Amino acid sequence: SEVKKLSKLPRLRKLNLSGNLLTGIERYSENNKPHFASLTTLFLQNNSLNSWADISALDHFESLTEIRVSGIPLIEKLDMITARMNVAARLPRIKQLNGSSVTQKERADAEIGYLSSILSEAAGKEIKELESQHPRFSALLKSYGNINLNALPSNAATTDRTTISKTLLSLELSSIESLETMQVIKSVKKKLPSNLTLSKLKVLCQRLLGIPTGNQAVYIKREEPEELIHNEDTLQQLGVAEGQSLLIAKLD
């Protein structure tokens, strides 16, 4: 294609393909790189891209740090925040998205949300299947420590199955007015990895419940609620068990 010819330009840093009726992006791999060695900026607005696989394919452009993808059908289906988070989670090197900077906090929030959505549908699936649908799956697991990779069976090389169903906890996350009233403001049920740290849980609760991470007090719901205070400990280490409810109170 004409675009492929441009990949041979070693100093090409910026490419504007907006409004070119593009319907897809080639599915690259470690053995099929897109070249464009110096390309840092790519504009894809107002094309006909309609698959998250097209966005994931851009991760193979190793120098790419800025993209614009507004006006494509895939993005237009979603609200602005959801669309932005889904793109940021799939492209870890992108620093500028649709004209604004991707902050470290925004990226962590996006990646945790993306990983959580993958894991919520992952029970019983093979790793290869998950990685084909979500190429960043393994990298996100390694980054956030959400799954005990040692839980792979000894024949994992041939079966490629995890024990994901055993490492996920079905939990209820509830924001409350105070411990005195125990009045629930908002409640969300999620399946979360047992290796999720308390600090990462707080980031997730900020997104789901709207309470800033620095203003959260997290408790296991019991007759006498027990506060969780060690941010780097995992849910498993903190004694959080399947089916429990976690209460999140906003500190003054």
Side-chain angles (χ1 to χ4, degrees):
S1 70
E2 295 300 313
V3 175
K4 263 193 171 181
K5 293 177 182 178
L6 297 175
S7 71
K8 298 178 182 179
L9 299 175
R11 297 184 180 179
L12 181 64
R13 294 177 59 84
K14 185 174 181 179
L15 182 59
N16 189 344
L17 296 176
S18 300
N20 272 276
L21 303 179
L22 297 177
T23 58
I25 295 175
E26 186 174 346
R27 304 302 185 252
Y28 300 106
S29 67
E30 290 301 313
N31 299 319
N32 176 31
K33 294 286 188 179
H35 303 297
F36 288 103
S38 300
L39 189 69
T40 61
T41 303
L42 179 61
F43 292 172
L44 293 170
Q45 302 106 302
N46 302 312
N47 281 292
S48 299
L49 304 176
N50 202 25
S51 169
W52 285 114
D54 294 323
I55 302 299
S56 293
L58 298 176
D59 193 29
H60 288 280
F61 291 70
E62 295 180 353
S63 297
L64 194 63
T65 58
E66 178 181 4
I67 61 166
R68 299 194 182 197
V69 289
S70 57
I72 65 174
L74 178 68
I75 299 300
E76 294 297 296
K77 297 175 184 177
L78 305 171
D79 65 79
M80 185 182 302
I81 294 176
T82 301
R84 183 176 175 83
M85 291 182 69
N86 272 279
V87 174
R90 287 168 169 81
L91 301 176
R93 287 183 288 272
I94 293 300
K95 298 178 181 178
Q96 291 282 331
L97 173 56
N98 291 338
S100 63
S101 298
V102 179
T103 66
Q104 183 176 356
K105 175 184 174 301
E106 183 181 22
R107 183 176 304 286
D109 200 3
E111 291 179 342
I112 289 172
Y114 182 32
L115 181 57
S116 179
S117 70
I118 298 172
L119 291 173
S120 68
E121 303 172 359
K125 290 186 178 181
E126 295 183 356
I127 290 179
K128 285 183 178 179
E129 180 182 355
L130 293 173
E131 288 181 331
S132 67
Q133 296 170 351
H134 309 282
R136 293 209 63 214
F137 176 61
S138 291
L140 290 174
L141 288 180
K142 182 177 180 180
S143 176
Y144 292 100
N146 284 338
I147 288 293
N148 181 1
L149 297 180
N150 293 327
L152 290 171
S154 59
N155 61 343
T158 55
T159 64
D160 248 346
R161 283 190 178 276
T162 72
T163 55
I164 286 177
S165 60
K166 295 180 181 179
T167 59
L168 288 177
L169 302 174
S170 296
L171 303 173
E172 184 174 31
L173 309 175
S174 300
S175 58
I176 58 174
E177 287 186 352
S178 67
L179 282 180
E180 288 73 25
T181 66
M182 298 289 286
Q183 179 66 43
V184 173
I185 301 171
K186 183 178 180 181
S187 186
V188 180
K189 291 185 177 180
K190 298 290 288 185
K191 287 185 177 180
L192 300 176
S194 60
N195 277 18
L196 187 73
T197 63
L198 180 58
S199 61
K200 295 298 190 299
L201 174 69
K202 288 181 177 180
V203 173
L204 179 62
C205 287
Q206 176 173 280
R207 181 171 67 86
L208 296 175
L209 303 175
I211 303 175
T213 55
N215 295 98
Q216 293 179 25
V218 181
Y219 301 85
I220 298 178
K221 185 179 181 181
R222 291 176 175 155
E223 185 173 344
E224 289 292 332
E226 176 186 343
E227 185 174 5
L228 306 180
I229 59 174
H230 299 293
N231 281 327
E232 299 312 309
D233 283 355
T234 66
L235 297 182
Q236 185 178 35
Q237 290 170 328
L238 292 167
V240 178
E242 167 72 16
Q244 285 187 320
S245 295
L246 298 182
L247 306 175
I248 297 86
K250 184 177 182 180
L251 301 173
D252 297 328

